[in-house]
Amino acid sequence: MFYLLGLLGGFAVSNQSHINERLGGALKSPFRAAFLSFSLGVVFLGVLAFIQNPHFLGDIVALTKTGQPWRIYSAGIFSMLYQTSNILLFKNVGAVKTVVLPTLGQVVMSMVIQTFGWVGAETVALTAIKVAGVILVIIGVLVAVVLSARLENKTGSSQGSSVFWHVWGIFTGMFASFQQAITGHLGHLLGAPVDGAFVSFVGALILLTILVAFKERPFFNRDGMKAAPWWSFLGGIPGSLFVFFIGIVVPVLGPGMGAILGLMGMLIGTIIVQQFGWYQSVKKRVNVMQIIGIVIMVVGVVMIQVL
């Protein structure tokens, strides 16, 4: 059951990118889409936290009075950056690369965070096997991105994208690493992973409210909201489910296995959505280089997280 929850968590978040990208297109803004997504996510996580502990808000307030450093509440910054970046990446580099590129950034930054014990993370020694795992992940990304692009060029189905978005995809994964590390540490301090996730989503929602208020006119695109399909407003639920499921899996199976299951679920979900054109997306077959690159990446992640 725990293995299944880990896979379902990754599968859920892979669907979120497609849903939010569709909403962002209708609203003419990835920031409006992220705002609505986090709004629903805050409500969803708030309900889960209340069911688990009706006094969870009091526990959060009590923690703010214990003199903890401000950085333990900063996950919302990285949540906002990760969410909005995913919407933009999906539009500019496609579904598979929106998973593959951030994975490289996430793997590298997660290892740095664990090696130096940043943001309250447990220190893990850097070994030759972990370095070899990172090298494999890099090779996998090159195969899935560079060789895949060459194969698509030969078949005439290539979709060009700038170097900037490929680099930004790697940074997006780094944002995810900080968000998960900070949220996990906060959840540990509060005694419940869902409470840490709730604080993260609230912080992101506050930042997005300010950003949309200053950047977008009007705040809500009413015509776009009317034209958008109903399911495009549900993007906050898959993201919340990912945080919730991984929060259940990690204490039982460990952070390494949680990361592997989440990654596998995301890759499976992305391939299925792209293959069958869910959420009104363009159907696109996954080519052999992408599959080979993904397999190499998974082996690398296993070496880093487990061995």
Side-chain angles (χ1 to χ4, degrees):
M1 179 60 69
F2 291 104
Y3 287 95
L4 179 61
L5 286 177
L7 289 172
L8 287 175
F11 183 85
V13 81
S14 71
N15 284 256
Q16 181 187 35
S17 297
H18 295 76
I19 295 172
N20 285 345
E21 195 278 333
R22 180 67 178 81
L23 181 60
L27 300 180
K28 311 296 184 186
S29 168
F31 305 108
R32 288 190 182 115
F35 169 80
L36 291 174
S37 177
F38 274 105
S39 296
L40 181 58
V42 165
V43 174
F44 185 75
L45 287 171
V47 171
L48 291 179
F50 180 80
I51 292 173
Q52 194 173 75
N53 174 20
H55 306 290
F56 79 99
L57 289 176
D59 293 343
I60 294 172
V61 172
L63 182 65
T64 63
K65 301 177 180 179
T66 59
Q68 295 290 336
W70 68 270
R71 64 177 178 272
I72 72 167
Y73 307 106
S74 65
I77 299 172
F78 300 102
S79 294
M80 181 198 70
L81 290 169
Y82 177 69
Q83 182 83 325
T84 53
S85 294
N86 260 347
I87 298 174
L88 293 168
L89 282 173
F90 186 91
K91 178 181 179 181
N92 287 279
V93 301
V96 172
K97 291 181 183 178
T98 299
V99 175
V100 170
L101 293 169
T103 297
L104 174 58
Q106 186 172 354
V107 166
V108 173
M109 186 52 65
S110 294
M111 193 168 66
V112 172
I113 289 172
Q114 290 183 334
T115 300
F116 294 100
W118 290 352
V119 293
E122 181 181 352
T123 303
V124 178
L126 181 63
T127 64
I129 292 179
K130 292 183 184 297
V131 173
V134 171
I135 293 173
L136 273 182
V137 172
I138 294 172
I139 293 173
V141 170
L142 291 174
V143 171
V145 175
V146 179
L147 297 184
S148 169
R150 291 183 179 180
L151 180 62
E152 289 184 340
N153 280 330
K154 290 181 181 179
T155 61
S157 59
S158 176
Q159 179 182 359
S161 54
S162 69
V163 174
F164 169 80
W165 288 113
H166 287 80
V167 174
W168 189 254
I170 297 173
F171 275 101
T172 298
M174 294 181 179
F175 300 149
S177 293
F178 277 108
Q179 184 266 330
Q180 291 173 6
I182 297 169
T183 300
H185 180 56
L186 182 59
H188 174 73
L189 293 175
L190 290 169
V194 69
D195 292 0
F198 175 80
V199 173
S200 172
F201 270 53
V202 168
L205 181 59
I206 292 172
L207 293 172
L208 281 165
T209 302
I210 296 171
L211 180 61
V212 175
F214 278 94
K215 186 179 183 301
E216 308 293 353
R217 293 291 186 277
F219 191 96
F220 291 106
N221 183 338
R222 297 185 184 276
D223 292 336
M225 293 179 70
K226 291 178 182 179
W230 64 269
W231 46 261
S232 65
F233 294 95
L234 304 181
I237 294 179
S240 303
L241 285 175
F242 171 73
V243 175
F244 181 59
F245 286 161
I246 295 300
I248 295 174
V249 170
V250 168
V252 178
L253 300 181
M257 185 56 66
I260 292 169
L261 292 171
L263 172 60
M264 291 178 64
M266 282 192 289
L267 293 171
I268 292 170
T270 299
I271 290 171
I272 291 175
V273 172
Q274 183 173 275
Q275 193 80 7
F276 295 101
W278 289 0
Y279 311 115
Q280 300 178 359
S281 61
V282 178
K283 291 184 180 180
K284 185 179 179 183
R285 290 185 177 276
V286 178
N287 64 55
V288 64
M289 287 301 175
Q290 289 175 331
I291 295 176
I292 293 174
I294 288 170
V295 171
I296 295 173
M297 288 174 59
V298 171
V299 173
V301 172
V302 170
M303 292 175 64
I304 294 168
Q305 301 288 356
V306 177
L307 300 181

